[in-house]
Amino acid sequence: MKVVNSQGGGPFLVWTLVVQLVLCGSGVYTADGTKNCKLVSESVSERKVLNRLEPLAHKNITAVMKNGTESYTYVFQLCGDAWGVPRAGVIQLDSMKMEEKPTVIGMYNATQAIGGSDWVMLIYTNGDRYDGHCSKEKRKAIVMISCDRKTDVGEMKVVLEDRDRLQDCFYLFELDSSAVCPAIESHISTGSIILIIGFCFLAVYLIGGFLYQRLIVGAKGMEQFPNYAFWLEVGNLTADGCDFVCRSGKREEAPAYRGVATESLEEEPEERDDHLLPM
């Protein structure tokens, strides 16, 4: 970065800041591209639905429909001039007659917005009048925007042009976008929180105890495990308890005291001393 030292540097910086402030005030840097839409019936709920579509602002989205030899291109822009046509939200271009004036399907200064949990229906009214259909009423465009988390702005499709009626005719378009997808809320149960806290304490105990035993005490091998003697004893006691509870075999009880032998004592043969008597 090169720094230029001059006497006129101060006024130049001042004028630069003034120009930036003017541009910000004029809306060049504004991020709210849905304010240009004028609702047919202004309401807080519809305005919130429009605000959900903010990521789609300032983008020309096109769709092509072919019907035999006829081919039409439709251009849609959210709250902006589609294909540069003032106040046109959706226009129709004849692919064979691109030099002709485009047909305005709907105006964004006459907007309706209806939204659900994962979809938004955007309606542009007050388009050009039909020539010989629908009692020559004004055209209307309905853009159905559905949730698709895999894409920011998907491909727009022309579903139908319903003009075989006396009134309330419309053009129907479909568009997928992640802008209308509901936010993913993560719910962690109380048990999960307790388990996470328990694992954290266990990790701190093991890592801290290992470092203490190795670096300060100077232990080696299995003795580096914190409180190794205690946990070894706990393991032995646990094994004994499991053996006592789970094993179903009979155990020989040791006698409480040593008694007299149970075997019968053999009688000693009687010694006869008759031969010692005088005859």
Side-chain angles (χ1 to χ4, degrees), residues 251-273:
R251 295 179 176 81
E252 295 181 359
E253 296 182 357
Y257 59 91
R258 294 182 178 275
V260 181
T262 57
E263 292 83 358
S264 59
L265 299 177
E266 296 181 357
E267 295 182 358
E268 296 181 358
E270 183 179 357
E271 295 183 0
R272 302 183 63 86
D273 53 355

PDB file of all heavy atoms in Angstrom, residues 251-273:
ATOM      1  N   ARG A 251     -22.149 -73.546  47.002  1.00  0.00           N
ATOM      2  CA  ARG A 251     -20.851 -73.301  47.630  1.00  0.00           C
ATOM      3  C   ARG A 251     -20.746 -74.147  48.911  1.00  0.00           C
ATOM      4  O   ARG A 251     -21.711 -74.296  49.651  1.00  0.00           O
ATOM      5  CB  ARG A 251     -20.675 -71.813  47.990  1.00  0.00           C
ATOM      6  CG  ARG A 251     -20.640 -70.907  46.771  1.00  0.00           C
ATOM      7  CD  ARG A 251     -20.482 -69.447  47.229  1.00  0.00           C
ATOM      8  NE  ARG A 251     -20.356 -68.549  46.106  1.00  0.00           N
ATOM      9  CZ  ARG A 251     -21.356 -68.084  45.390  1.00  0.00           C
ATOM     10  NH1 ARG A 251     -22.586 -68.447  45.698  1.00  0.00           N
ATOM     11  NH2 ARG A 251     -21.153 -67.266  44.377  1.00  0.00           N
ATOM     12  N   GLU A 252     -19.567 -74.702  49.155  1.00  0.00           N
ATOM     13  CA  GLU A 252     -19.335 -75.459  50.379  1.00  0.00           C
ATOM     14  C   GLU A 252     -18.963 -74.475  51.477  1.00  0.00           C
ATOM     15  O   GLU A 252     -17.986 -73.730  51.351  1.00  0.00           O
ATOM     16  CB  GLU A 252     -18.204 -76.468  50.183  1.00  0.00           C
ATOM     17  CG  GLU A 252     -18.544 -77.543  49.171  1.00  0.00           C
ATOM     18  CD  GLU A 252     -17.406 -78.535  49.037  1.00  0.00           C
ATOM     19  OE1 GLU A 252     -16.389 -78.335  49.722  1.00  0.00           O
ATOM     20  OE2 GLU A 252     -17.570 -79.500  48.278  1.00  0.00           O
ATOM     21  N   GLU A 253     -19.781 -74.495  52.511  1.00  0.00           N
ATOM     22  CA  GLU A 253     -19.529 -73.581  53.610  1.00  0.00           C
ATOM     23  C   GLU A 253     -18.449 -74.143  54.526  1.00  0.00           C
ATOM     24  O   GLU A 253     -18.485 -75.304  54.931  1.00  0.00           O
ATOM     25  CB  GLU A 253     -20.803 -73.359  54.420  1.00  0.00           C
ATOM     26  CG  GLU A 253     -21.905 -72.682  53.615  1.00  0.00           C
ATOM     27  CD  GLU A 253     -23.122 -72.443  54.479  1.00  0.00           C
ATOM     28  OE1 GLU A 253     -23.094 -72.861  55.653  1.00  0.00           O
ATOM     29  OE2 GLU A 253     -24.087 -71.849  53.970  1.00  0.00           O
ATOM     30  N   ALA A 254     -17.500 -73.305  54.830  1.00  0.00           N
ATOM     31  CA  ALA A 254     -16.434 -73.740  55.742  1.00  0.00           C
ATOM     32  C   ALA A 254     -16.982 -73.808  57.156  1.00  0.00           C
ATOM     33  O   ALA A 254     -17.774 -72.954  57.563  1.00  0.00           O
ATOM     34  CB  ALA A 254     -15.262 -72.762  55.673  1.00  0.00           C
ATOM     35  N   PRO A 255     -16.584 -74.809  57.938  1.00  0.00           N
ATOM     36  CA  PRO A 255     -17.097 -74.900  59.322  1.00  0.00           C
ATOM     37  C   PRO A 255     -16.626 -73.734  60.155  1.00  0.00           C
ATOM     38  O   PRO A 255     -15.520 -73.232  59.978  1.00  0.00           O
ATOM     39  CB  PRO A 255     -16.513 -76.223  59.826  1.00  0.00           C
ATOM     40  CG  PRO A 255     -15.335 -76.478  58.946  1.00  0.00           C
ATOM     41  CD  PRO A 255     -15.680 -75.913  57.601  1.00  0.00           C
ATOM     42  N   ALA A 256     -17.497 -73.296  61.048  1.00  0.00           N
ATOM     43  CA  ALA A 256     -17.160 -72.144  61.879  1.00  0.00           C
ATOM     44  C   ALA A 256     -16.109 -72.498  62.919  1.00  0.00           C
ATOM     45  O   ALA A 256     -15.362 -71.643  63.363  1.00  0.00           O
ATOM     46  CB  ALA A 256     -18.419 -71.617  62.568  1.00  0.00           C
ATOM     47  N   TYR A 257     -16.053 -73.757  63.369  1.00  0.00           N
ATOM     48  CA  TYR A 257     -15.036 -74.159  64.337  1.00  0.00           C
ATOM     49  C   TYR A 257     -14.709 -75.625  64.071  1.00  0.00           C
ATOM     50  O   TYR A 257     -15.456 -76.328  63.396  1.00  0.00           O
ATOM     51  CB  TYR A 257     -15.553 -73.993  65.780  1.00  0.00           C
ATOM     52  CG  TYR A 257     -16.790 -74.803  66.078  1.00  0.00           C
ATOM     53  CD1 TYR A 257     -16.688 -76.094  66.600  1.00  0.00           C
ATOM     54  CD2 TYR A 257     -18.055 -74.269  65.834  1.00  0.00           C
ATOM     55  CE1 TYR A 257     -17.823 -76.827  66.852  1.00  0.00           C
ATOM     56  CE2 TYR A 257     -19.187 -75.005  66.092  1.00  0.00           C
ATOM     57  CZ  TYR A 257     -19.071 -76.290  66.606  1.00  0.00           C
ATOM     58  OH  TYR A 257     -20.193 -77.004  66.856  1.00  0.00           O
ATOM     59  N   ARG A 258     -13.573 -76.027  64.595  1.00  0.00           N
ATOM     60  CA  ARG A 258     -13.151 -77.401  64.408  1.00  0.00           C
ATOM     61  C   ARG A 258     -13.741 -78.266  65.529  1.00  0.00           C
ATOM     62  O   ARG A 258     -13.447 -78.070  66.689  1.00  0.00           O
ATOM     63  CB  ARG A 258     -11.625 -77.512  64.429  1.00  0.00           C
ATOM     64  CG  ARG A 258     -10.968 -76.808  63.248  1.00  0.00           C
ATOM     65  CD  ARG A 258      -9.459 -76.995  63.283  1.00  0.00           C
ATOM     66  NE  ARG A 258      -8.845 -76.378  62.137  1.00  0.00           N
ATOM     67  CZ  ARG A 258      -8.708 -76.955  60.951  1.00  0.00           C
ATOM     68  NH1 ARG A 258      -9.161 -78.202  60.796  1.00  0.00           N
ATOM     69  NH2 ARG A 258      -8.148 -76.339  59.941  1.00  0.00           N
ATOM     70  N   GLY A 259     -14.554 -79.178  65.169  1.00  0.00           N
ATOM     71  CA  GLY A 259     -15.157 -80.065  66.166  1.00  0.00           C
ATOM     72  C   GLY A 259     -14.465 -81.420  66.215  1.00  0.00           C
ATOM     73  O   GLY A 259     -13.400 -81.635  65.635  1.00  0.00           O
ATOM     74  N   VAL A 260     -15.112 -82.309  66.880  1.00  0.00           N
ATOM     75  CA  VAL A 260     -14.573 -83.656  66.984  1.00  0.00           C
ATOM     76  C   VAL A 260     -14.731 -84.345  65.667  1.00  0.00           C
ATOM     77  O   VAL A 260     -15.715 -84.133  64.955  1.00  0.00           O
ATOM     78  CB  VAL A 260     -15.302 -84.433  68.100  1.00  0.00           C
ATOM     79  CG1 VAL A 260     -14.737 -85.850  68.247  1.00  0.00           C
ATOM     80  CG2 VAL A 260     -15.198 -83.671  69.406  1.00  0.00           C
ATOM     81  N   ALA A 261     -13.793 -85.137  65.299  1.00  0.00           N
ATOM     82  CA  ALA A 261     -13.873 -85.836  64.029  1.00  0.00           C
ATOM     83  C   ALA A 261     -15.123 -86.676  63.992  1.00  0.00           C
ATOM     84  O   ALA A 261     -15.549 -87.263  64.985  1.00  0.00           O
ATOM     85  CB  ALA A 261     -12.637 -86.708  63.846  1.00  0.00           C
ATOM     86  N   THR A 262     -15.742 -86.720  62.843  1.00  0.00           N
ATOM     87  CA  THR A 262     -17.009 -87.432  62.707  1.00  0.00           C
ATOM     88  C   THR A 262     -16.833 -88.935  62.567  1.00  0.00           C
ATOM     89  O   THR A 262     -17.776 -89.697  62.669  1.00  0.00           O
ATOM     90  CB  THR A 262     -17.765 -86.899  61.487  1.00  0.00           C
ATOM     91  OG1 THR A 262     -16.929 -87.042  60.332  1.00  0.00           O
ATOM     92  CG2 THR A 262     -18.142 -85.439  61.703  1.00  0.00           C
ATOM     93  N   GLU A 263     -15.611 -89.356  62.234  1.00  0.00           N
ATOM     94  CA  GLU A 263     -15.430 -90.784  62.040  1.00  0.00           C
ATOM     95  C   GLU A 263     -15.545 -91.504  63.396  1.00  0.00           C
ATOM     96  O   GLU A 263     -15.099 -90.999  64.419  1.00  0.00           O
ATOM     97  CB  GLU A 263     -14.040 -91.080  61.421  1.00  0.00           C
ATOM     98  CG  GLU A 263     -13.886 -90.584  59.996  1.00  0.00           C
ATOM     99  CD  GLU A 263     -13.522 -89.129  59.967  1.00  0.00           C
ATOM    100  OE1 GLU A 263     -13.437 -88.531  61.065  1.00  0.00           O
ATOM    101  OE2 GLU A 263     -13.364 -88.556  58.850  1.00  0.00           O
ATOM    102  N   SER A 264     -16.167 -92.638  63.392  1.00  0.00           N
ATOM    103  CA  SER A 264     -16.311 -93.425  64.629  1.00  0.00           C
ATOM    104  C   SER A 264     -14.955 -94.018  65.022  1.00  0.00           C
ATOM    105  O   SER A 264     -14.202 -94.497  64.177  1.00  0.00           O
ATOM    106  CB  SER A 264     -17.330 -94.557  64.423  1.00  0.00           C
ATOM    107  OG  SER A 264     -16.911 -95.393  63.368  1.00  0.00           O
ATOM    108  N   LEU A 265     -14.695 -93.905  66.289  1.00  0.00           N
ATOM    109  CA  LEU A 265     -13.434 -94.422  66.791  1.00  0.00           C
ATOM    110  C   LEU A 265     -13.528 -95.935  66.929  1.00  0.00           C
ATOM    111  O   LEU A 265     -14.500 -96.470  67.471  1.00  0.00           O
ATOM    112  CB  LEU A 265     -13.111 -93.790  68.146  1.00  0.00           C
ATOM    113  CG  LEU A 265     -12.960 -92.258  68.114  1.00  0.00           C
ATOM    114  CD1 LEU A 265     -12.719 -91.762  69.539  1.00  0.00           C
ATOM    115  CD2 LEU A 265     -11.783 -91.883  67.212  1.00  0.00           C
ATOM    116  N   GLU A 266     -12.547 -96.614  66.399  1.00  0.00           N
ATOM    117  CA  GLU A 266     -12.535 -98.059  66.533  1.00  0.00           C
ATOM    118  C   GLU A 266     -12.126 -98.445  67.958  1.00  0.00           C
ATOM    119  O   GLU A 266     -11.215 -97.838  68.524  1.00  0.00           O
ATOM    120  CB  GLU A 266     -11.536 -98.685  65.542  1.00  0.00           C
ATOM    121  CG  GLU A 266     -11.935 -98.444  64.095  1.00  0.00           C
ATOM    122  CD  GLU A 266     -10.930 -99.101  63.176  1.00  0.00           C
ATOM    123  OE1 GLU A 266      -9.944 -99.670  63.685  1.00  0.00           O
ATOM    124  OE2 GLU A 266     -11.146 -99.031  61.943  1.00  0.00           O
ATOM    125  N   GLU A 267     -12.833 -99.379  68.476  1.00  0.00           N
ATOM    126  CA  GLU A 267     -12.511 -99.839  69.822  1.00  0.00           C
ATOM    127  C   GLU A 267     -11.199-100.625  69.812  1.00  0.00           C
ATOM    128  O   GLU A 267     -10.993-101.477  68.967  1.00  0.00           O
ATOM    129  CB  GLU A 267     -13.620-100.745  70.363  1.00  0.00           C
ATOM    130  CG  GLU A 267     -14.934 -99.994  70.539  1.00  0.00           C
ATOM    131  CD  GLU A 267     -15.991-100.906  71.131  1.00  0.00           C
ATOM    132  OE1 GLU A 267     -15.669-102.099  71.351  1.00  0.00           O
ATOM    133  OE2 GLU A 267     -17.106-100.414  71.370  1.00  0.00           O
ATOM    134  N   GLU A 268     -10.359-100.219  70.740  1.00  0.00           N
ATOM    135  CA  GLU A 268      -9.084-100.933  70.831  1.00  0.00           C
ATOM    136  C   GLU A 268      -9.330-102.327  71.432  1.00  0.00           C
ATOM    137  O   GLU A 268     -10.179-102.511  72.290  1.00  0.00           O
ATOM    138  CB  GLU A 268      -8.121-100.150  71.720  1.00  0.00           C
ATOM    139  CG  GLU A 268      -7.757 -98.805  71.144  1.00  0.00           C
ATOM    140  CD  GLU A 268      -6.771 -98.083  72.064  1.00  0.00           C
ATOM    141  OE1 GLU A 268      -6.438 -98.649  73.124  1.00  0.00           O
ATOM    142  OE2 GLU A 268      -6.368 -96.956  71.696  1.00  0.00           O
ATOM    143  N   PRO A 269      -8.616-103.249  70.937  1.00  0.00           N
ATOM    144  CA  PRO A 269      -8.821-104.622  71.483  1.00  0.00           C
ATOM    145  C   PRO A 269      -8.446-104.695  72.976  1.00  0.00           C
ATOM    146  O   PRO A 269      -7.484-104.062  73.394  1.00  0.00           O
ATOM    147  CB  PRO A 269      -7.878-105.479  70.631  1.00  0.00           C
ATOM    148  CG  PRO A 269      -6.877-104.507  70.074  1.00  0.00           C
ATOM    149  CD  PRO A 269      -7.575-103.227  69.905  1.00  0.00           C
ATOM    150  N   GLU A 270      -9.277-105.401  73.709  1.00  0.00           N
ATOM    151  CA  GLU A 270      -9.066-105.508  75.158  1.00  0.00           C
ATOM    152  C   GLU A 270      -7.862-106.425  75.445  1.00  0.00           C
ATOM    153  O   GLU A 270      -7.757-107.527  74.944  1.00  0.00           O
ATOM    154  CB  GLU A 270     -10.299-106.137  75.813  1.00  0.00           C
ATOM    155  CG  GLU A 270     -10.179-106.226  77.336  1.00  0.00           C
ATOM    156  CD  GLU A 270     -11.422-106.827  77.955  1.00  0.00           C
ATOM    157  OE1 GLU A 270     -12.364-107.093  77.157  1.00  0.00           O
ATOM    158  OE2 GLU A 270     -11.463-107.012  79.171  1.00  0.00           O
ATOM    159  N   GLU A 271      -6.943-105.900  76.249  1.00  0.00           N
ATOM    160  CA  GLU A 271      -5.766-106.673  76.582  1.00  0.00           C
ATOM    161  C   GLU A 271      -6.092-107.592  77.811  1.00  0.00           C
ATOM    162  O   GLU A 271      -6.518-107.082  78.841  1.00  0.00           O
ATOM    163  CB  GLU A 271      -4.589-105.743  76.915  1.00  0.00           C
ATOM    164  CG  GLU A 271      -4.131-104.924  75.722  1.00  0.00           C
ATOM    165  CD  GLU A 271      -2.927-104.081  76.089  1.00  0.00           C
ATOM    166  OE1 GLU A 271      -2.484-104.159  77.259  1.00  0.00           O
ATOM    167  OE2 GLU A 271      -2.435-103.326  75.205  1.00  0.00           O
ATOM    168  N   ARG A 272      -5.894-108.816  77.586  1.00  0.00           N
ATOM    169  CA  ARG A 272      -6.176-109.768  78.677  1.00  0.00           C
ATOM    170  C   ARG A 272      -4.863-110.064  79.427  1.00  0.00           C
ATOM    171  O   ARG A 272      -3.848-110.304  78.815  1.00  0.00           O
ATOM    172  CB  ARG A 272      -6.757-111.054  78.116  1.00  0.00           C
ATOM    173  CG  ARG A 272      -8.037-110.793  77.329  1.00  0.00           C
ATOM    174  CD  ARG A 272      -8.610-112.107  76.849  1.00  0.00           C
ATOM    175  NE  ARG A 272      -8.986-112.948  77.977  1.00  0.00           N
ATOM    176  CZ  ARG A 272     -10.159-112.892  78.612  1.00  0.00           C
ATOM    177  NH1 ARG A 272     -11.097-112.020  78.231  1.00  0.00           N
ATOM    178  NH2 ARG A 272     -10.413-113.693  79.619  1.00  0.00           N
ATOM    179  N   ASP A 273      -4.959-109.989  80.770  1.00  0.00           N
ATOM    180  CA  ASP A 273      -3.780-110.242  81.613  1.00  0.00           C
ATOM    181  C   ASP A 273      -3.949-111.493  82.487  1.00  0.00           C
ATOM    182  O   ASP A 273      -3.425-111.620  83.579  1.00  0.00           O
ATOM    183  CB  ASP A 273      -3.462-109.047  82.508  1.00  0.00           C
ATOM    184  CG  ASP A 273      -4.662-108.605  83.328  1.00  0.00           C
ATOM    185  OD1 ASP A 273      -5.761-109.189  83.113  1.00  0.00           O
ATOM    186  OD2 ASP A 273      -4.518-107.675  84.133  1.00  0.00           O
TER     187      ASP A 273
END
